[in-house]
Amino acid sequence: MHVIRVMSLITFLLSSTCAMSDKSPVQHRGTLKHLRTKIDSGSEVHVAFLGGSITQNSKGHTAMVPEWFRQEFPKARFKFTNAGMSSTCSTSGAFRLKDHIWSQGAPDLLIVEFAVNDDQDAAHARRECIRGMEGIVRQTLSLNPNAGIVMVHFVNPGMLEMTFKGKTPTSISAHESVANHYQITSVNVALEVAQATQQGRYGWKEYGGTHPKKFGYRAASDLIIKAIQAGLAS
């Protein structure tokens, strides 16, 4: 039954003419000028990651993005904090933000993801998705108004199927509303995987599933890096 469902989804995808392909997975908003200044000044730069088990994986984007920072800015001094915690949602993220990140020092850049866990672990309605993510954003900007934020939306099968159909999953739509309100750059991995499948670049199997394989983390990390580069240049 699972194979039949996958095949029917692929058939739908190949025949679809929805506007999905016209959208960009990276929505650039705001600037990362403060981060650029800190990097150039020689001061220690604190980059923090907040999310669920996708972030908790020490070999995923929480390793690949720091590797890029070190290679791109070899003279800079970086400190990286991984505050990923399995099965946690944006609500719990808002409550543990100070203890798990600020206890390590104010971050200059926060990379946050909770779209998958808000969807499948917490099963949040739109209101709760907004309240949790906005709690994270407002605390971050209140404690450090100069902090940069990049919001990342990872993906599970149900969210991917909705994206194929030209719909935006509730958690992603809610988090995007927060990102747009506060002018925060966002990275929609769900849209990237859907577009990649549609274009024949790679598919769900290659990406690796809800918890991505190395290939999937590489694809997501490349988008995050692209978002950071745009912010540093603006």
Side-chain angles (χ1 to χ4, degrees):
M1 184 176 292
H2 178 68
V3 174
I4 294 174
R5 183 179 182 183
V6 171
M7 288 303 294
S8 64
L9 185 59
I10 292 174
T11 301
F12 166 82
L13 176 63
L14 293 176
S15 63
S16 175
T17 57
C18 68
M20 178 182 70
S21 60
D22 297 331
K23 301 177 182 178
S24 173
V26 177
Q27 292 297 313
H28 173 59
R29 308 178 182 96
T31 179
L32 295 177
K33 287 183 178 179
H34 173 72
L35 179 63
R36 175 90 244 186
T37 300
K38 285 291 292 288
I39 290 173
D40 293 341
S41 71
S43 302
E44 183 179 77
V45 179
H46 185 194
V47 178
F49 298 83
L50 180 65
S53 55
I54 295 173
T55 291
Q56 190 176 21
N57 184 348
S58 61
K59 296 181 180 180
H61 66 291
T62 56
M64 296 176 182
V65 174
E67 180 183 22
W68 172 80
F69 268 116
R70 294 188 185 103
Q71 292 180 352
E72 187 73 10
F73 306 103
K75 296 181 179 180
R77 295 190 297 120
F78 290 101
K79 175 181 180 179
F80 299 99
T81 298
N82 184 342
M85 181 176 286
S86 178
S87 299
T88 58
C89 63
S90 61
T91 303
S92 58
F95 277 101
R96 62 187 179 86
L97 182 66
K98 290 183 180 179
D99 287 342
H100 290 187
I101 292 181
W102 254 263
S103 61
Q104 306 300 314
D108 300 295
L109 175 64
L110 175 66
I111 299 173
V112 56
E113 63 86 15
F114 277 113
V116 167
N117 284 18
D118 275 9
D119 175 78
Q120 68 182 35
D121 292 82
H124 279 328
R126 178 178 174 83
R127 179 184 178 186
E128 280 65 43
C129 292
I130 291 175
R131 290 179 68 181
M133 186 57 74
E134 186 172 35
I136 293 168
V137 170
R138 286 182 68 89
Q139 281 188 84
T140 299
L141 297 179
S142 175
L143 292 165
N144 181 11
N146 293 317
I149 302 174
V150 173
M151 195 181 297
V152 187
H153 314 309
F154 280 89
V155 60
N156 62 25
M159 295 165 69
L160 182 61
E161 186 167 353
M162 285 190 68
T163 307
F164 280 144
K165 295 177 180 179
K167 300 178 181 178
T168 304
T170 298
S171 60
I172 293 180
S173 174
H175 293 174
E176 274 294 289
S177 68
V178 176
N180 189 58
H181 182 76
Y182 290 93
Q183 288 299 286
I184 293 168
T185 291
S186 63
V187 173
N188 191 339
V189 180
L191 182 59
E192 158 62 18
V193 176
Q195 289 179 344
T197 306
Q198 186 182 53
Q199 296 162 6
R201 291 186 282 120
Y202 64 84
W204 183 241
K205 182 178 180 180
E206 290 79 13
Y207 176 78
T210 303
H211 293 91
K213 294 179 182 178
K214 183 177 181 180
F215 179 93
Y217 272 118
R218 182 73 268 165
S221 296
D222 287 346
L223 290 178
I224 295 168
I225 290 167
K226 180 181 178 181
I228 293 170
Q229 289 174 319
L232 292 173
S234 63

